[in-house]
Amino acid sequence: MILGHNEIHNRLTKGEIFRKETWDPECVKEASYVLRIAGDGLLLDGKFHDPFDQNNRYRGDYIVIDPGKIAILSTQEELNMPSDLVGKIGIRLEFALLGLTGLMGIQVDPLYGSDKEHERLYIRVANFGNEPIRLMGGDEVFTFELHEVTGRVGVKSKKDSWPRIKETLKNLEDASWSYVTQVENNLSAETQSVKDYFQPLVMFGVFLVAVSILAATLTILVQTPEPSKVIGSSLTALEARTLMLWVIIVGIAGTAWVGLTAGWRFFRPYRSDTPRPTTGWIRKCWRKFWHWLW
């Protein structure tokens, strides 16, 4: 049976479920309690911010969880579960719609926190949405349903949750990234590398075709018996041939330059994991040139 508003409130006033002065009557809903997140007891961007540690407290204005990132949030409420109740954690609709997803067991066992003075809930979440999720201390992010338990409950002492979490996650290379996001980032990097790899070849083909069409057009004009009537009264056959010669020279030079650049990129051993220089005047000029062309 799920506890309703009145029964939850009665239990809270007795000091059950949460410890006194850590819960808010306004958070008691029809058949649940909404949990508020704390400004400490966090894992953000792979960094732990210990609870009740003012020196290591999170200093940002917002708790930001970027797309694909994993974080650990804690509750302002401190648990003091009785032996006849079990809790079920969920994510409120407005945050679930943003992509916030729970990566934790949803059950809070009977007697959780009853043998410890400041035991919170630590909830691991991920942002599977497309935009960063911004939270603040005091935001009502999670729902907490209370169910009655029948029968005898075995008592088993557990270690504090926060040290257990840090011990479990300390050996991970990056506890803030999900595998799905790592794969997505790797694919994006590979796609960009392939794009950079073949872009000069595409430009070489476009440039070569454009020069060939222009040269063919000028050849036809020059071979016309009276080219001045076709391309203007002030242009003689000699001038037309001179213009065609310069166009061909510039076209050959430009095609050769683009072709050599594309060939160097094409025949160079391709390694997607090789870091590419991000500085240097040659690379900057190269980027500006391609931006200008596009």
Side-chain angles (χ1 to χ4, degrees):
M1 183 176 67
I2 300 176
L3 269 60
H5 177 280
N6 291 339
E7 182 62 20
I8 293 174
H9 191 273
N10 291 337
R11 295 278 191 139
L12 289 171
T13 56
K14 295 177 183 179
E16 297 181 355
I17 305 175
F18 306 123
R19 295 195 178 273
K20 293 181 179 180
E21 299 181 357
T22 68
W23 60 277
D24 185 348
E26 297 296 325
C27 294
V28 182
K29 304 304 179 182
E30 293 82 356
S32 65
Y33 181 94
V34 290
L35 297 166
R36 302 163 298 164
I37 63 171
D40 56 356
L42 304 170
L43 170 64
L44 292 175
D45 296 324
K47 183 178 180 181
F48 289 97
H49 301 276
D50 297 330
F52 311 110
D53 184 356
Q54 295 299 322
N55 295 327
N56 193 27
R57 189 178 179 85
Y58 181 68
R59 304 297 180 183
D61 295 332
Y62 293 93
I63 298 171
V64 181
I65 308 174
D66 291 320
K69 284 290 189 78
I70 292 175
I72 291 178
L73 307 175
S74 67
T75 61
Q76 291 185 2
E77 291 78 11
E78 297 174 9
L79 277 290
N80 184 29
M81 291 290 289
S83 61
D84 62 336
L85 292 182
V86 64
K88 300 291 184 181
I89 304 173
I91 295 177
R92 303 193 73 193
L93 177 62
E94 52 265 42
F95 296 101
L97 292 175
L98 296 177
L100 192 67
T101 305
L103 302 177
M104 73 294 178
I106 64 172
Q107 178 169 304
V108 180
D109 292 330
L111 300 175
Y112 181 88
S114 61
D115 59 341
K116 299 174 179 63
E117 187 176 355
H118 300 290
E119 184 68 300
R120 301 178 180 178
L121 287 175
Y122 299 96
I123 305 170
R124 196 169 189 235
V125 296
N127 180 5
F128 288 152
N130 298 320
E131 301 292 336
I133 296 176
R134 290 177 171 84
L135 306 172
M136 295 183 66
D139 283 350
E140 300 171 355
V141 177
F142 304 101
T143 61
F144 193 54
E145 289 183 353
L146 283 306
H147 299 246
E148 285 191 344
V149 178
T150 59
R152 185 177 179 181
V153 177
V155 179
K156 184 178 180 180
S157 179
K158 297 180 180 179
K159 296 180 180 179
D160 291 350
S161 297
W162 186 251
R164 288 167 55 199
I165 291 172
K166 294 185 68 174
E167 181 68 22
T168 303
L169 299 178
K170 69 177 183 179
N171 294 325
L172 294 183
E173 183 176 351
D174 190 345
S176 66
W177 284 99
S178 67
Y179 177 75
V180 174
T181 307
Q182 291 180 10
V183 171
E184 181 182 355
N185 288 341
N186 291 338
L187 288 176
S188 299
E190 290 291 337
T191 302
Q192 185 62 40
S193 297
V194 172
K195 180 180 177 181
D196 294 341
Y197 182 56
F198 285 104
Q199 189 179 49
L201 293 178
V202 175
M203 292 301 301
F204 171 70
V206 172
F207 193 79
L208 182 61
V209 170
V211 170
S212 300
I213 293 174
L214 181 60
T217 302
L218 289 176
T219 300
I220 294 173
L221 292 176
V222 171
Q223 291 177 352
T224 302
E226 298 182 16
S228 60
K229 295 181 179 181
V230 180
I231 56 178
S233 57
S234 62
L235 185 64
T236 65
L238 179 60
E239 291 172 338
R241 289 187 176 89
T242 303
L243 176 62
M244 183 191 71
L245 179 61
W246 277 107
V247 169
I248 292 175
I249 292 174
V250 172
I252 291 174
T255 303
W257 179 73
V258 176
L260 289 174
T261 303
W264 178 77
R265 292 285 298 273
F266 185 79
F267 292 107
R268 183 182 63 174
Y270 177 72
R271 289 175 57 89
S272 61
D273 58 344
T274 301
R276 298 182 179 182
T278 56
T279 58
W281 67 273
I282 296 179
R283 186 170 182 81
K284 290 180 180 178
C285 293
W286 178 253
R287 286 180 175 177
K288 290 182 180 179
F289 172 74
W290 286 122
H291 286 310
W292 176 77
L293 283 180
W294 287 108

